Amino acid sequence: MTISITVNGEPRRIIPGASIAALVAELDLDPRTVAVERNLEIVPKSAYAEIALADGDQLEIVHFVGGGSAGGSEDDSWEVAGRRFTSRLIVGTGKYKDYAVNAAAVEASGAEIVTVAVRRVNLTDRSQPLLTDYVDPKRYTYLPNTAGCFTAEDAMRTLRLAREAGGWNLVKLEVLGEAKTLYPDMEQTLRATKELVNDGFDVMVYCADDPIAAKKLEDAGAAAIMPLGAPIGSGLGIQNPVMIRLIVEQAKVPVLVDAGVGSASDAAVAMELGCDGVLMNTAIAEAKDPVMMARAMRHAVEAGRLSYRAGRMQRRLYADPSSPLGGLI
């Protein structure tokens, strides 16, 4: 006799009284690297052996997958939510040909933070490689994100599962408005930010290039503000430098350009505006040579930061000769 449950959207039959721990073992999964949700409630790892599954239970089992020397000098590190980093470049882990190229690009970028998507565990083919086999979470700070979420509820559910799977409180929130532009829904984003902050998360928030919206997010407790440079994956570069500069000037938390960077010069522009960092994925992953592009982006972020710190020369309407005019022959 067996009972019927649903795991990651697929029907499955198990023996009556089987525990979550038994199911995880049967699926050949490492309980340390997954999170389990039972009937929309996250199950603590400590309870896997105690909870007996019942007929009709619906389970989601997730883990992290690829999603989307350091910059500056040693005394020019930056901090977010009490964590200090040297590299000001954050890279994504989606769209790469394979995890080996992904890992090589991350290495070349010098990044210390990588964004990761939260997706269902593949129960059909357990031989598939895992991101964690290539990009070591002990070496890099994983930043779980909510890519693909179009409601505050879905985004919050995803990040709670991410915290259960890996234990990370530092997360990246994005709540998208619609699929064509992937522009953020700021009303839902603000609501999710408030609830996640109250739930103990340190939230880095993808948002519109809008100083008013950015200020509301900071007031809601966002750990970092991440205005888009251009639509996600577009490679159009920084479309609204004036607004991003205004966001930087008013913010008391880190500001990082997120989305739209296509070339190294775009990354340098973002840093010259005074941003604390740049997050990118497609610009590296879809380059003809992702590893070389990752290296270029690393140098661009460093150069842009140095340029910002050095202080730009004053713009003039007319020419001003570099050589002295006195003593001409």
Side-chain angles (χ1 to χ4, degrees), residues 10 15 19 29 40 49 79 97 99 133 144 190 210 218 243:
E10 298 180 2
I15 61 173
S19 67
L29 299 174
L40 300 180
E79 184 175 310
K97 180 180 70 173
Y99 283 144
D133 295 334
L190 180 60
D210 176 353
E218 184 175 344
M243 291 299 103

Side-chain angles (χ1 to χ4, degrees), residues 12 22 25 65 106 122-123 127 133 135 145 166 170 186 194 219 230 289 311 320 323 325:
R12 192 177 190 90
V65 301
V106 172
N122 186 337
L123 301 179
S127 66
D133 295 334
V135 181
N145 67 24
L170 183 64
M186 292 312 302
K194 291 177 179 178
D219 291 344
D289 187 331
D320 183 26
S323 302
L325 296 178

Side-chain angles (χ1 to χ4, degrees), residues 185-202:
D185 182 326
M186 292 312 302
E187 181 180 0
Q188 298 254 337
T189 298
L190 180 60
R191 181 161 67 85
T193 299
K194 291 177 179 178
E195 292 197 33
L196 289 167
V197 169
N198 288 337
D199 199 16
F201 285 92
D202 298 315

Side-chain angles (χ1 to χ4, degrees), residues 2-323:
T2 59
I3 60 174
S4 177
I5 63 174
T6 302
V7 182
N8 288 0
E10 298 180 2
R12 192 177 190 90
R13 301 200 71 84
I14 61 172
I15 61 173
S19 67
I20 291 177
L23 175 64
V24 169
E26 178 185 331
L27 295 172
D28 194 26
L29 299 174
D30 183 348
R32 297 171 298 177
T33 64
V34 299
V36 178
E37 180 186 75
R38 175 179 178 240
N39 302 329
L40 300 180
E41 294 289 335
I42 294 175
V43 181
K45 294 182 189 296
S46 59
Y48 285 6
E50 302 169 7
I51 295 179
L53 294 168
D55 191 61
D57 276 351
Q58 297 193 29
L59 287 86
E60 292 286 344
I61 305 179
V62 305
H63 62 168
F64 296 118
V65 301
S69 121
S73 61
E74 290 184 3
D75 61 351
D76 189 38
S77 59
W78 67 289
E79 184 175 310
V80 58
R83 302 161 176 84
R84 186 159 293 279
F85 300 97
T86 306
S87 173
R88 294 174 179 270
L89 176 59
I90 300 175
V91 296
T93 50
K95 298 186 175 181
Y96 287 92
K97 180 180 70 173
D98 54 45
Y99 283 144
V101 174
N102 191 167
V106 172
E107 176 73 27
S109 75
E112 297 166 292
I113 305 175
V114 295
T115 62
V116 292
V118 181
R119 294 294 184 267
R120 287 172 167 173
V121 169
N122 186 337
L123 301 179
T124 305
D125 186 358
R126 299 295 303 126
S127 66
Q128 288 296 309
L130 300 175
L131 176 67
T132 49
D133 295 334
Y134 291 83
V135 181
D136 186 356
K138 294 180 180 178
R139 178 180 177 187
Y140 299 98
T141 295
Y142 272 30
L143 184 67
N145 67 24
T146 58
C149 291
F150 289 85
T151 68
E153 286 72 21
D154 284 348
M156 291 186 290
R157 179 186 178 196
T158 296
L159 291 178
R160 285 167 180 146
L161 277 166
R163 180 164 64 182
E164 181 63 25
W168 291 282
N169 284 328
L170 183 64
V171 296
K172 181 198 165 189
L173 171 68
E174 56 183 72
V175 184
L176 306 174
E178 49 80 41
K180 184 176 181 180
T181 64
L182 299 182
Y183 207 77
D185 182 326
M186 292 312 302
E187 181 180 0
Q188 298 254 337
T189 298
L190 180 60
R191 181 161 67 85
T193 299
K194 291 177 179 178
E195 292 197 33
L196 289 167
V197 169
N198 288 337
D199 199 16
F201 285 92
D202 298 315
V203 191
M204 301 174 69
V205 189
Y206 166 68
C207 64
D209 51 355
D210 176 353
I212 304 302
K215 184 65 168 64
K216 289 181 179 179
L217 290 170
E218 184 175 344
D219 291 344
I225 306 300
M226 307 180 77
L228 61 103
I232 291 172
S234 68
L236 290 172
I238 311 302
Q239 295 296 294
N240 206 342
V242 174
M243 291 299 103
I244 290 179
R245 179 65 186 178
L246 289 175
I247 292 172
V248 169
E249 288 180 354
Q250 74 178 9
K252 295 181 175 60
V253 297
V255 175
L256 301 92
V257 161
D258 177 13
V261 168
S263 67
S265 58
D266 297 334
V269 167
M271 296 306 297
E272 287 176 338
L273 290 171
C275 292
D276 294 276
V278 182
L279 190 155
M280 66 183 72
N281 187 169
T282 308
I284 296 175
E286 290 191 355
K288 292 181 180 178
D289 187 331
V291 176
M292 186 181 294
M293 183 60 79
R295 193 176 302 118
M297 292 299 187
R298 171 181 179 172
H299 292 309
V301 168
E302 293 175 359
R305 176 63 180 173
L306 286 174
S307 177
Y308 171 74
R309 292 179 64 199
R312 194 194 191 284
M313 63 165 283
Q314 179 183 353
R315 286 184 171 88
R316 301 183 178 94
L317 294 178
Y318 302 101
D320 183 26
S322 301
S323 302

